[in-house]
Amino acid sequence: MREEQSASQSKTPIILSWLVILAVVWLLWSGIYKPLVIGLGALSCLLTLYLSHRIGFFNESTSIHVIPRIMGYWWLLFVDIIKSSIDVTRIILDPKLPISPVEVELESAPKGPIGQAILGNSITLSPGTVTIDVYKGRMRIHCLTEESANDMIAGKVNERTAELTEK
Amino acid sequence: MSMYVIVSIAILVTMTLALARALKGPSVYDRVLAVNMFGTKTVLLLAVVAFFYGRPDFLDLALAYALINFVGILAVLEFFQSQRNDDEEQAKEQEE
Amino acid sequence: MLEQVLYVLSWIMLTVGGFFVLVGGIGALRLPNFYTRMHAASVTDTIATFLVLGGLLLQAGLTIATVKLIAILVFLLLTGPTASYALANAALLSGVKSNATFRKVNGKGSKSGAGQETSVNQETDASQETSASQENNEEQSK
């Protein structure tokens, strides 16, 4: 009983900050400031909070500390995406279509579920590599060419994701 | 003004190509991939059209379409997967 | 002056974005099998989306439309890979063949007990592949 209380107390600031975020999003997107519409907005914010509580969203959000660190990671990913997009474009427009599909099985450096989700999505996000299976910390990745596979392995995405989530 | 027209034409041509793939695609998953592509291109087209006609309310439609497209693709995949599981169970029962 | 620079920049971003959209469409039609076609779809999902919506952002200036465009962009970039993964995984489980050479890479991070893990994993992989090929045979026989 006491444990539950302390848990709910530590959750309160998280729930309140989400309420503020939802309210700001509603106000920005609706653009109509009449009492009826704002009342409906308040209702839907509360409903959203209740539904997120029911699916256990607030139990998982302890990893909110990732967000400030993620900016540098996004820049790395952005550069990666541009480079691999140009490579894939060159391959698609080449009349000979020089593809050499490779499936790579990679051991993921991040161990937690959030780190693995971020890693898998980052790999899928950069063209030329698609994550097709995640099983017990191992990723099966389909690559369009040998080069894209080598770039993906040589690139520091795996290690960077581990640094991002586990410190 | 003309740049919106260029982008719109590029997006429309790609949507046609995606539809061709959806009609041609040998497996179900090729078709789902093509439909997913068609959906994301619709979102982009709606955003461009919003600026072309100067009607920002189209952006709300684009956002809603993005949400529906995502949920729809997941629902279709779930449907195929459960259908396949049912088939396997039936096959097992017949074997027994 | 600044307005003109932004105008030219957004013009370039929109045109290049349209080009990448077109490349993705051509790739989806040209590439030979399912998994390779996913890479073409990936091009339109990431760089093309980013460039087209970025170009529109520069046109919008600072209004409510900007917030909505950023929301669409973030939402598409978050859901795109998730949908791709769900699709690829469903295809893999139902035994769609990729015709790819298989390669195993060990992470540079933890090396303790890596040998055992790989040997166990090879077995499971082999069984997965055989079950997939069996399924394929069944489908063909039907």
Side-chain angles (χ1 to χ4, degrees):
Chain A
M1 193 62 194
R2 189 178 286 170
E3 274 181 17
E4 273 180 25
Q5 260 185 354
S6 68
S8 68
Q9 272 175 359
S10 66
K11 265 192 238 168
T12 316
I14 298 174
I15 294 178
L16 280 180
S17 56
W18 276 108
L19 185 62
V20 172
I21 292 171
L22 286 174
V24 168
V25 166
W26 174 279
L27 290 177
L28 275 178
W29 285 358
S30 90
I32 303 166
Y33 303 110
K34 288 176 189 165
L36 175 68
V37 178
I38 290 179
L40 286 175
L43 268 183
S44 57
C45 286
L46 291 177
L47 182 68
T48 312
L49 279 184
Y50 171 66
L51 289 178
S52 336
H53 174 69
R54 252 192 92 205
I55 64 168
F57 178 72
F58 299 114
N59 301 336
E60 298 287 331
S61 58
T62 45
S63 58
I64 220 162
H65 63 274
V66 171
I67 291 171
R69 255 185 249 154
I70 217 160
M71 294 299 170
Y73 180 71
W74 275 353
W75 176 247
L76 181 97
L77 197 61
F78 181 65
V79 174
D80 210 38
I81 286 173
I82 290 179
K83 264 193 272 175
S84 48
S85 305
I86 292 170
D87 288 346
V88 173
T89 306
R90 209 173 285 150
I91 289 163
I92 288 174
L93 292 183
D94 195 310
K96 276 178 287 182
L97 212 64
I99 56 167
S100 51
V102 186
E103 266 182 36
V104 177
E105 197 177 293
L106 190 75
E107 195 175 329
S108 79
K111 297 294 174 222
I114 293 169
Q116 286 181 6
I118 293 177
L119 175 61
N121 276 357
S122 319
I123 290 172
T124 310
L125 208 53
S126 51
T129 48
V130 173
T131 313
I132 57 178
D133 202 8
V134 180
Y135 180 73
K136 287 192 178 170
R138 304 188 72 86
M139 316 229 148
R140 196 164 159 184
I141 300 154
H142 188 278
C143 308
L144 190 59
T145 59
E146 292 269 0
E147 283 165 33
S148 60
N150 292 336
D151 285 353
M152 192 258 307
I153 294 160
K156 296 283 173 233
V157 179
N158 204 354
E159 285 82 4
R160 280 295 294 267
T161 321
E163 281 172 23
L164 191 72
T165 50
E166 280 143 39
K167 251 183 194 172
Chain B
M1 216 42 159
S2 64
M3 60 186 166
Y4 297 135
V5 178
I6 294 172
V7 182
S8 305
I9 289 172
I11 294 174
L12 281 172
V13 169
T14 300
M15 283 165 89
T16 319
L17 294 176
L19 266 190
R21 176 45 76 192
L23 291 173
K24 228 171 101 178
S27 73
V28 174
Y29 300 101
D30 285 295
R31 294 174 211 269
V32 176
L33 178 70
V35 170
N36 186 20
M37 212 171 142
F38 190 84
T40 37
K41 295 299 92 62
T42 312
V43 176
L44 288 189
L45 186 66
L46 276 172
V48 174
V49 163
F51 277 77
F52 183 57
Y53 288 117
R55 291 178 61 178
D57 23 334
F58 269 53
L59 288 175
D60 296 331
L61 297 184
L63 195 62
Y65 201 94
L67 288 162
I68 291 170
N69 185 44
F70 176 60
V71 175
I73 292 295
L74 289 189
V76 166
L77 286 175
E78 188 66 26
F79 172 69
F80 283 128
Q81 217 151 6
S82 65
Q83 202 180 33
R84 207 168 55 84
N85 289 343
D86 287 352
D87 285 351
E88 280 170 9
E89 278 173 20
Q90 277 180 0
K92 270 184 193 169
E93 281 173 13
Q94 280 174 1
E95 278 174 18
E96 283 168 7
Chain C
M1 183 60 201
L2 185 68
E3 267 183 25
Q4 279 172 341
V5 170
L6 282 186
Y7 184 82
V8 171
L9 199 62
S10 78
W11 206 93
I12 292 170
M13 279 176 90
L14 280 172
T15 319
V16 177
F19 169 72
F20 276 115
V21 167
L22 210 54
V23 165
I26 294 169
L29 212 58
R30 264 193 88 191
L31 288 168
N33 68 32
F34 169 73
Y35 294 105
T36 50
R37 273 173 218 140
M38 291 205 70
H39 298 296
S42 171
V43 173
T44 63
D45 272 356
T46 53
I47 188 89
T49 307
F50 189 83
L51 284 174
V52 171
L53 291 182
L56 291 180
L57 264 179
L58 292 183
Q59 286 281 317
L62 265 180
T63 48
I64 263 181
T66 328
V67 183
K68 284 175 185 165
L69 277 175
I70 291 174
I72 294 173
L73 180 62
V74 168
F75 189 79
L76 280 181
L77 288 184
L78 282 181
T79 58
T82 313
S84 295
Y85 172 72
L87 182 59
N89 203 17
L92 182 76
L93 287 179
S94 75
V96 175
K97 284 207 176 154
S98 67
N99 293 329
T101 50
F102 201 74
R103 210 163 101 190
K104 206 177 281 284
V105 176
N106 281 316
K108 295 154 200 162
S110 61
K111 285 203 170 170
S112 59
Q116 283 183 344
E117 278 177 31
T118 46
S119 68
V120 169
N121 230 64
Q122 266 171 345
E123 281 169 25
T124 53
D125 267 333
S127 64
Q128 272 179 3
E129 277 171 11
T130 49
S131 68
S133 62
Q134 274 172 2
E135 277 179 9
N136 263 20
N137 286 341
E138 278 172 12
E139 279 176 9
Q140 282 171 0
S141 64
K142 276 177 194 168

